[in-house]
Amino acid sequence: MSSSSHSFPPLDPPARLLMGPGPINADPRIHRAMAAPLVGQFDPVMTRYMNQTMAVYRAVFECDYAQTLLIDGTARAGIEAVVISAIEPGERVLVPVMGRFGHLLTEIAERAGAEVHTIDIPWGQVCTLEQLETALKTVRPSLVATVQGDTSTTMLQPLAGWGDLCHQHDALLVCDATASIVGNTLPTGEWQLDAVTCGLQKCLAGPPGVAPITLSPAFVERVNRRRHVEAGIRDTQDQPQAGPRIGSNYFDLPMIMDYWGERRLNHHTEASTMLYAAYEAGRIAVEEGLAAAVSRHRLHGNAMAAGVEGLGLALYGDQSTRMNNIVGVRIPEALDGEAVRAALLQDWGIEIGSSFGPLKGKIWRIGTMGYNARQDCVLMTLAALEQVLRRQGHACPQGGGVDAAYAIYQRAEEGAVQ
Amino acid sequence: MSSSSHSFPPLDPPARLLMGPGPINADPRIHRAMAAPLVGQFDPVMTRYMNQTMAVYRAVFECDYAQTLLIDGTARAGIEAVVISAIEPGERVLVPVMGRFGHLLTEIAERAGAEVHTIDIPWGQVCTLEQLETALKTVRPSLVATVQGDTSTTMLQPLAGWGDLCHQHDALLVCDATASIVGNTLPTGEWQLDAVTCGLQKCLAGPPGVAPITLSPAFVERVNRRRHVEAGIRDTQDQPQAGPRIGSNYFDLPMIMDYWGERRLNHHTEASTMLYAAYEAGRIAVEEGLAAAVSRHRLHGNAMAAGVEGLGLALYGDQSTRMNNIVGVRIPEALDGEAVRAALLQDWGIEIGSSFGPLKGKIWRIGTMGYNARQDCVLMTLAALEQVLRRQGHACPQGGGVDAAYAIYQRAEEGAVQ
């Protein structure tokens, strides 16, 4: 009751260059789109915007799945909606674990009542098609859940052939692509992924808080076996309720599809402003072209990786399977990694990331994502890092980072980068 | 794969005066606040903003509960987080059902595995303290869940005395106040509510998409019995995992409290832009003063109710227990309610609402909420409604709505409205 004793100043965030694992600086176009006025949730204008958002994300996910929509929550809300809607208690789920987000998938599936089996891969590596096949034969899961890019390790899981293999073994394949989408190739339709989830705050260049997802016809058929309509809005035309209810109302995908579908059955009230952000983020990606966006992320990621090595630092993990948009950097033994991060943030306004669990204190993570996958961001980060390392007593070649990055840009101009 | 055949124009929403049950036009201050740049999720600036947001919502909820924070999702995300974290499968939950949102609470609790008992109240009425007491004695629930304002019926549930009564019967009391907060008195601490949830899109004058909640110490103690830390970020200092895990990772309140608390254990990535919106919405309410805000909503709601009657239309439900910020209007038999709504929207840019279930096609719902709880909005809506009714062949007194509203404003100026 001490409200009168508080003062609540306006928020006035400082300028930051966000070169960590996300969120990154949003594209100013997205800020402008979010300033648009609200309309009612069943206004024909709003439902048209919802349809346009579905269409733009079909292009972003590179698929023609009808059920492509937004979950109103952060990226893991999309994951949970997919997993909790697909799994009935007692079903077997297979999860390759090669970083923090494998653990997260495991945990979400367990809470949904699944019997979860994991393929345990050392952090910094990825899962092979052979390892997947062996596990499919042994476990016989009804669902395989993975992440394309596990930001905790910076690794990119190759997924070509996974969909086909899972389907041969009667399993659906779901994949979170929050960290990787737009920065790395992800042809959902060609790879036969049954559900893909993501967020905006990485290579889509938007703010966190909404989760675009896409669902294959087979996935939709599966979750619709448990379709229900809420008592308060049920109609005479609604079928008797079938199958055990999904363990969440908020993440009940059949209900959410009814809201996004022609019946427009009210579920939640769509987060209009975040929808505006998602639509604009999707538009930006489609306008650039997905192939061009992936190339851009590869170029600037390579420049950052080369630059970091040019400063005498070692990269983390198998570089042949690194995400284009983020590099892991081993923190030299003699250095206090958090002191370096603090100096970069406080004195230079530049954020880079740390990591989790076994990698806590061991690596930094430097992102080149979305709006910040740009030459000026790469050069500035490397120049600042050089000065901070030097001032903390860590010798590094003068200009070694910047020169190595320039060399990558030079080669790209000469057409040598594929 | 037909992305090239689509064109994705920029979103350019038309001007709308949103006088339905929400969302309503956001206060322009909130749009400006949302344009602020992003900062990293563990930036000291961001964690300070999180703390300030907690403080401002303690003032909005009128309580001193330490655990006052945001759930990243729409209003019902807040409800589900509270219910699913508090209930272990098999526990008894009591829900008074007097509209659509009572059904929703029932459904969320059932999906969490609760044995749900309802107090069934005719739509348009509210639940008495005596009815509650009888049910508490019979059912002996561990949790009572209710809504303060059920937008589907426009009714306001009186809650004074409920907390004390529930506690006498060893039940915690949780309440959703999405539709009512800031428009109606809600002293969470004084009324001993154990959890209150809301959204921004009604009297808080913000966009939908984030859910402020507050939790009493007793509620926190209860959910913390099932506190877990995710495998990917677990630390040696973390206790062995206790109790059955909460059925959702996304809505696991102990984890969310660890993210908002001093340890800042990563859970989701906070939706920064929606946090900016929530903070500014809370600031606006606190600056106006909660008592003044409630008076303003009462005044304009009364003017709208009088105006509607002045047009010869009948109000819906017991007016002595109506929310200040919304009126239900019986649609005259001879009129097509949807045609009236369509004309208002298409020709006048004004949105009013319909309703759900048994009230579908029976009532309109007209809101005077947040930024739109203003005299000009009330007068324009009544004037437009008069013209639309007349042109659809429904006789009504010329200026009858506007004059009746002016009479309320006149009386208020003379100090006659309490």
Side-chain angles (χ1 to χ4, degrees):
Chain A
M1 313 283 188
S2 52
S3 67
S4 59
S5 67
H6 283 105
S7 86
F8 299 113
L11 300 184
D12 191 14
R16 294 286 198 232
L17 177 60
L18 301 175
M19 301 298 284
I24 55 100
N25 300 83
D27 189 312
R29 278 182 57 176
I30 296 176
H31 283 296
R32 290 197 294 271
M34 293 178 84
L38 302 183
V39 294
Q41 63 174 325
F42 297 114
D43 192 314
V45 171
M46 182 67 186
T47 52
R48 177 158 51 82
Y49 289 175
M50 290 170 79
N51 291 343
Q52 286 174 222
T53 303
M54 295 173 96
V56 83
Y57 277 93
R58 283 184 204 113
V60 171
F61 285 118
E62 296 188 62
C63 66
D64 57 7
Y65 298 168
Q67 299 296 345
T68 302
L69 42 78
L70 305 180
I71 301 297
D72 286 357
T74 65
R76 70 169 61 192
I79 301 175
E80 187 156 318
V82 161
V83 170
I84 209 166
S85 294
I87 295 172
E88 291 191 38
E91 284 190 68
R92 281 190 301 281
V93 172
L94 179 64
V95 181
V97 176
M98 57 206 102
R100 185 196 165 189
F101 289 91
H103 285 301
L104 176 63
L105 292 174
T106 301
E107 153 141 8
I108 291 173
E110 282 174 356
R111 290 182 190 228
E115 179 189 314
V116 181
H117 298 255
T118 57
I119 307 174
D120 297 308
I121 312 285
W123 287 36
Q125 298 177 24
V126 295
C127 180
T128 65
L129 211 52
E130 292 68 36
Q131 286 171 307
L132 175 67
E133 186 165 23
T134 304
L136 281 168
K137 286 177 176 164
T138 320
V139 175
R140 305 204 64 75
S142 59
L143 192 86
V144 175
T146 192
V147 290
Q148 187 187 24
D150 197 312
T151 21
S152 67
T153 67
T154 74
M155 293 296 105
L156 182 81
Q157 175 62 53
L159 291 171
W162 277 46
D164 189 38
L165 190 62
C166 288
H167 296 161
Q168 283 173 31
H169 291 84
D170 300 318
L172 296 181
L173 175 59
V174 310
C175 173
D176 179 65
T178 301
S180 56
I181 197 164
V182 177
N184 305 270
T185 304
L186 179 64
T188 299
E190 184 189 327
W191 286 354
Q192 302 177 46
L193 307 176
D194 292 296
V196 183
T197 60
C198 70
L200 305 186
Q201 73 270 24
K202 316 260 184 181
C203 304
L204 273 162
V210 70
I213 69 171
T214 190
L215 311 172
S216 75
F219 188 92
V220 171
E221 192 275 327
R222 175 159 166 169
V223 299
N224 268 341
R225 286 183 218 154
R226 293 197 282 165
R227 181 172 175 273
H228 287 76
V229 177
E230 262 175 44
I233 57 172
R234 208 173 287 155
D235 218 306
T236 44
Q237 70 179 106
D238 290 310
Q239 304 296 316
Q241 313 287 295
R245 268 195 288 197
I246 290 163
S248 166
N249 171 286
Y250 193 72
F251 291 132
D252 184 309
L253 286 178
M255 283 186 174
I256 294 169
M257 291 188 287
D258 275 343
Y259 179 57
W260 285 77
E262 282 187 12
R263 285 185 71 190
R264 300 283 172 198
L265 284 183
N266 182 237
H267 176 254
H268 58 285
T269 297
E270 184 58 18
S272 335
T273 311
M274 291 308 297
L275 180 136
Y276 296 169
Y279 179 74
E280 190 69 7
R283 274 183 83 215
I284 292 170
V286 171
E287 280 177 17
E288 179 175 13
L290 290 166
V294 170
S295 293
R296 175 170 56 88
H297 282 91
R298 186 184 302 120
L299 173 64
H300 297 294
N302 284 345
M304 183 64 83
V308 161
E309 290 191 301
L311 286 171
L313 301 170
L315 299 177
Y316 168 81
D318 182 345
Q319 294 302 299
S320 70
T321 54
R322 180 174 57 72
M323 277 188 275
N324 287 324
N325 47 297
I326 187 161
V327 294
V329 183
R330 292 187 183 278
I331 302 170
E333 288 280 333
L335 270 177
D336 175 354
E338 288 306 290
V340 170
R341 292 208 316 126
L344 275 171
L345 187 71
Q346 287 160 21
D347 302 343
W348 300 77
I350 298 175
E351 180 181 84
I352 66 171
S354 55
S355 193
F356 303 103
L359 294 177
K360 194 173 169 181
K362 299 278 194 288
I363 68 168
W364 295 307
R365 292 178 300 156
I366 307 183
T368 42
M369 304 194 191
Y371 191 65
N372 290 353
R374 302 198 317 261
Q375 180 171 328
D376 57 312
C377 299
V378 170
L379 296 178
M380 274 194 288
T381 302
L382 289 167
L385 183 58
E386 175 186 335
Q387 300 301 327
V388 170
L389 291 173
R390 182 180 61 79
R391 289 172 60 88
Q392 302 233 350
H394 185 82
C396 51
Q398 184 183 21
V402 165
D403 287 351
Y406 262 116
I408 296 285
Y409 291 123
Q410 185 68 36
R411 284 221 304 276
E413 276 183 24
E414 293 163 9
V417 162
Q418 95 262 55
Chain B
M1 311 289 189
S2 54
S3 67
S4 59
S5 68
H6 283 103
S7 85
F8 299 113
L11 300 184
D12 191 14
R16 295 287 198 231
L17 178 59
L18 300 175
M19 302 297 285
I24 54 100
N25 301 82
D27 190 311
R29 276 181 58 177
I30 296 175
H31 284 294
R32 290 197 293 273
M34 292 177 84
L38 302 182
V39 293
Q41 62 173 326
F42 297 114
D43 191 312
V45 170
M46 182 67 186
T47 52
R48 176 158 53 82
Y49 288 174
M50 291 171 78
N51 290 343
Q52 285 175 222
T53 302
M54 296 174 95
V56 83
Y57 277 92
R58 285 184 202 112
V60 171
F61 285 118
E62 297 189 62
C63 66
D64 57 7
Y65 299 168
Q67 298 296 346
T68 301
L69 43 78
L70 305 180
I71 301 297
D72 285 356
T74 66
R76 71 170 60 193
I79 301 175
E80 186 156 320
V82 160
V83 170
I84 209 166
S85 295
I87 296 172
E88 291 190 39
E91 283 190 68
R92 281 190 300 281
V93 172
L94 178 65
V95 180
V97 176
M98 57 205 100
R100 182 192 166 193
F101 289 92
H103 286 300
L104 176 63
L105 291 174
T106 301
E107 151 140 8
I108 291 173
E110 282 173 356
R111 290 183 189 226
E115 178 189 316
V116 181
H117 297 255
T118 58
I119 307 173
D120 297 308
I121 312 285
W123 288 36
Q125 297 177 27
V126 295
C127 179
T128 65
L129 211 51
E130 293 67 37
Q131 286 171 305
L132 175 67
E133 184 164 26
T134 304
L136 281 168
K137 286 176 178 164
T138 319
V139 176
R140 306 204 64 73
S142 59
L143 192 86
V144 174
T146 191
V147 289
Q148 187 187 24
D150 197 312
T151 21
S152 66
T153 67
T154 74
M155 293 296 106
L156 183 80
Q157 175 60 54
L159 291 171
W162 277 46
D164 190 36
L165 191 60
C166 288
H167 297 161
Q168 283 172 31
H169 292 83
D170 300 318
L172 296 182
L173 174 60
V174 309
C175 173
D176 179 65
T178 301
S180 56
I181 197 163
V182 175
N184 306 270
T185 304
L186 179 64
T188 299
E190 185 188 325
W191 286 354
Q192 302 178 47
L193 306 176
D194 292 297
V196 182
T197 61
C198 70
L200 304 186
Q201 74 269 25
K202 316 260 183 181
C203 304
L204 273 162
V210 70
I213 69 171
T214 190
L215 311 172
S216 75
F219 188 92
V220 170
E221 192 273 327
R222 175 160 164 171
V223 299
N224 268 341
R225 286 182 219 153
R226 294 199 281 165
R227 181 171 175 274
H228 287 78
V229 176
E230 262 175 44
I233 57 171
R234 207 173 288 154
D235 216 306
T236 45
Q237 70 180 105
D238 290 309
Q239 303 296 315
Q241 312 288 292
R245 267 194 288 194
I246 290 163
S248 165
N249 171 285
Y250 194 71
F251 292 133
D252 183 310
L253 286 178
M255 282 185 174
I256 295 169
M257 291 188 287
D258 275 342
Y259 180 56
W260 285 78
E262 282 186 14
R263 283 185 72 192
R264 301 283 172 198
L265 283 183
N266 182 237
H267 177 255
H268 57 285
T269 297
E270 183 60 17
S272 336
T273 312
M274 292 307 298
L275 179 135
Y276 296 170
Y279 179 74
E280 190 69 6
R283 274 184 84 215
I284 291 170
V286 170
E287 280 177 16
E288 179 176 14
L290 290 166
V294 170
S295 294
R296 175 169 59 88
H297 282 92
R298 186 184 300 120
L299 173 64
H300 297 293
N302 284 345
M304 183 63 83
V308 162
E309 290 192 300
L311 286 172
L313 301 170
L315 299 177
Y316 168 81
D318 182 346
Q319 294 300 301
S320 70
T321 54
R322 180 173 57 72
M323 277 188 276
N324 287 325
N325 48 297
I326 187 159
V327 295
V329 183
R330 292 186 184 277
I331 301 170
E333 288 280 335
L335 270 177
D336 175 355
E338 288 306 290
V340 170
R341 292 209 313 127
L344 276 171
L345 187 70
Q346 287 160 20
D347 302 343
W348 301 77
I350 298 175
E351 180 181 85
I352 66 171
S354 55
S355 193
F356 303 103
L359 294 177
K360 193 174 171 182
K362 299 277 194 286
I363 68 169
W364 295 307
R365 293 177 300 156
I366 307 183
T368 42
M369 305 194 191
Y371 190 65
N372 290 354
R374 302 199 316 260
Q375 181 171 328
D376 56 315
C377 299
V378 170
L379 295 177
M380 273 193 290
T381 302
L382 290 167
L385 184 58
E386 176 187 333
Q387 300 301 330
V388 171
L389 291 172
R390 181 181 62 78
R391 289 173 59 89
Q392 304 233 349
H394 186 81
C396 52
Q398 185 184 21
V402 165
D403 286 352
Y406 263 115
I408 296 286
Y409 292 124
Q410 187 67 37
R411 284 221 305 276
E413 275 184 22
E414 292 162 11
V417 163
Q418 97 259 59

